[in-house]
Amino acid sequence: MSETEPLVSTETASTDAGARTAVDAEEIAAEQATMPRRRTSLWARPSYWVPPILLLAGIIGVVYLIGALLGTRSYLMPQPHVIFAVYTDPKTGPEIFEALWNTAQVALVGLVIAIVIGVVWAVAMNLAKWVERTTFPYAVILQSIPILAVVPLIGFWFGYDFIARTIVCVLIALFPIVSNTLFGLQSVDRGARELFQLQKATRWIVLRKLELPTALPAMFAGMRISAGLSIVGAIVGDFFFQRGTPGIGALIAKYQSRLQSPELFASILLASLFGVVIFLFFGWLARRAVGKWYDFG
């Protein structure tokens, strides 16, 4: 009996070890199955970029068809290859790209200023309710004022160059950042807020470690909206402030008055593409900042 007992115990131990190994393998497999899979890049999915390309091809085809149907009035809808030829024209191409650069400087500076003011303003309203009750109605009024009615006053007070155009951008781009940031700061989960209160965290710790991280997706959404609005503000300023450095808006007004249809369409298209680039940049920045824990499409 003494000789067989170690053998039996060894066999039993090996059986138990094998069973534990099988159980551990099943637990690891189950855990891996419940873990979120790493998302592939959107650009790697044909379903992401094929439909827009097909739609673009359809739009180009419709433009060619409309140009053919207009006949002698085809200047009202110039064909795409005529529009793209404007960019390579040694006379009009450099003029348009220089004007876009002037407009881009105004738009980017105005957007940065709007982001800083909007975030600080929203944080102040979140920290003190009396600030929200006092100032938020004026933010709504600022958004409701027709900007075209205010532009002449801005030119009268601040001149007709860079500063005045930047102010127009800030006025147009400010409200989405303020409203989205304030919404994000006030959308913190109640349980998480109570947990910080149980730990007797100060108001600044709650803001820095809970509210601001939670508000990041809403903040970036507001920035993406304001990015497009800043381009609109820069073009509006260029369109009305004809005395300063010419931007893309000034060129649009000039081409419109001279009935230069291909140049007009080329200027509008380039300004739109610049707005799309800024929009995509903030989308990329948002995915880099919060993409690990928030599905920012």
Side-chain angles (χ1 to χ4, degrees):
M1 290 296 293
S2 61
E3 293 180 357
T4 58
E5 284 179 357
L7 180 60
V8 173
S9 60
T10 303
E11 291 177 353
T12 304
S14 61
T15 303
D16 294 340
R20 284 196 302 269
T21 303
V23 172
D24 293 341
E26 292 178 357
E27 291 179 353
I28 293 173
E31 184 178 356
Q32 290 178 349
T34 57
M35 291 178 61
R37 294 185 178 180
R38 190 175 184 179
R39 294 192 307 168
T40 58
S41 176
L42 291 176
W43 293 105
R45 307 175 189 173
S47 59
Y48 183 79
W49 52 267
V50 169
I53 292 178
L54 294 177
L55 178 60
L56 177 61
I59 293 174
I60 293 175
V62 171
V63 171
Y64 274 109
L65 178 61
I66 294 175
L69 294 175
L70 288 174
T72 57
R73 296 190 301 167
S74 60
Y75 64 90
L76 296 175
M77 181 64 71
Q79 296 180 341
H81 70 274
V82 178
I83 297 175
F84 287 111
V86 173
Y87 300 130
T88 59
D89 190 307
K91 182 180 179 180
T92 58
E95 182 183 40
I96 292 177
F97 284 106
E98 182 180 359
L100 178 66
W101 170 245
N102 295 332
T103 300
Q105 293 181 68
V106 175
L108 293 177
V109 173
L111 179 61
V112 171
I113 295 175
I115 290 174
V116 173
I117 295 176
V119 171
V120 172
W121 190 356
V123 169
M125 287 190 292
N126 181 64
L127 290 176
K129 287 298 180 182
W130 67 268
V131 177
E132 180 181 359
R133 290 192 297 267
T134 305
T135 62
F136 192 74
Y138 294 97
V140 177
I141 293 173
L142 183 65
Q143 176 70 12
S144 304
I145 295 176
I147 193 63
L148 296 181
V150 181
V151 167
L153 293 176
I154 295 174
F156 180 75
W157 290 332
F158 300 98
Y160 300 92
D161 210 341
F162 188 86
I163 295 178
R165 301 178 189 193
T166 304
I167 291 174
V168 174
C169 287
V170 173
L171 292 178
I172 292 180
L174 182 60
F175 184 77
I177 298 175
V178 174
S179 59
N180 282 41
T181 303
L182 182 61
F183 171 78
L185 291 172
Q186 294 179 345
S187 299
V188 177
D189 182 69
R190 185 174 181 179
R193 193 182 295 275
E194 291 176 351
L195 179 61
F196 272 73
Q197 292 175 353
L198 289 176
Q199 298 297 325
K200 298 181 179 179
T202 64
R203 189 69 185 87
W204 290 105
I205 292 179
V206 173
L207 174 66
R208 183 168 57 91
K209 294 189 176 183
L210 177 62
E211 293 176 341
L212 282 178
T214 304
L216 281 178
M219 290 170 60
F220 279 111
M223 290 177 191
R224 290 209 298 187
I225 298 172
S226 296
L229 293 177
S230 67
I231 307 297
V232 175
I235 293 177
V236 169
D238 292 336
F239 197 87
F240 281 90
F241 302 146
Q242 300 285 337
R243 305 180 195 176
T245 305
I248 202 75
L251 281 188
I252 290 174
K254 183 179 76 171
Y255 294 146
Q256 178 187 9
S257 63
R258 297 180 181 179
L259 297 179
Q260 293 178 271
S261 185
E263 290 79 3
L264 176 62
F265 275 87
S267 301
I268 296 174
L269 178 61
L270 194 62
S272 302
L273 291 177
F274 178 70
V276 171
V277 169
I278 299 299
F279 181 87
L280 293 177
F281 168 76
F282 276 99
W284 171 84
L285 189 63
R287 285 189 293 271
R288 296 286 294 179
V290 302
K292 295 181 179 179
W293 54 272
Y294 184 84
D295 188 9
F296 200 96

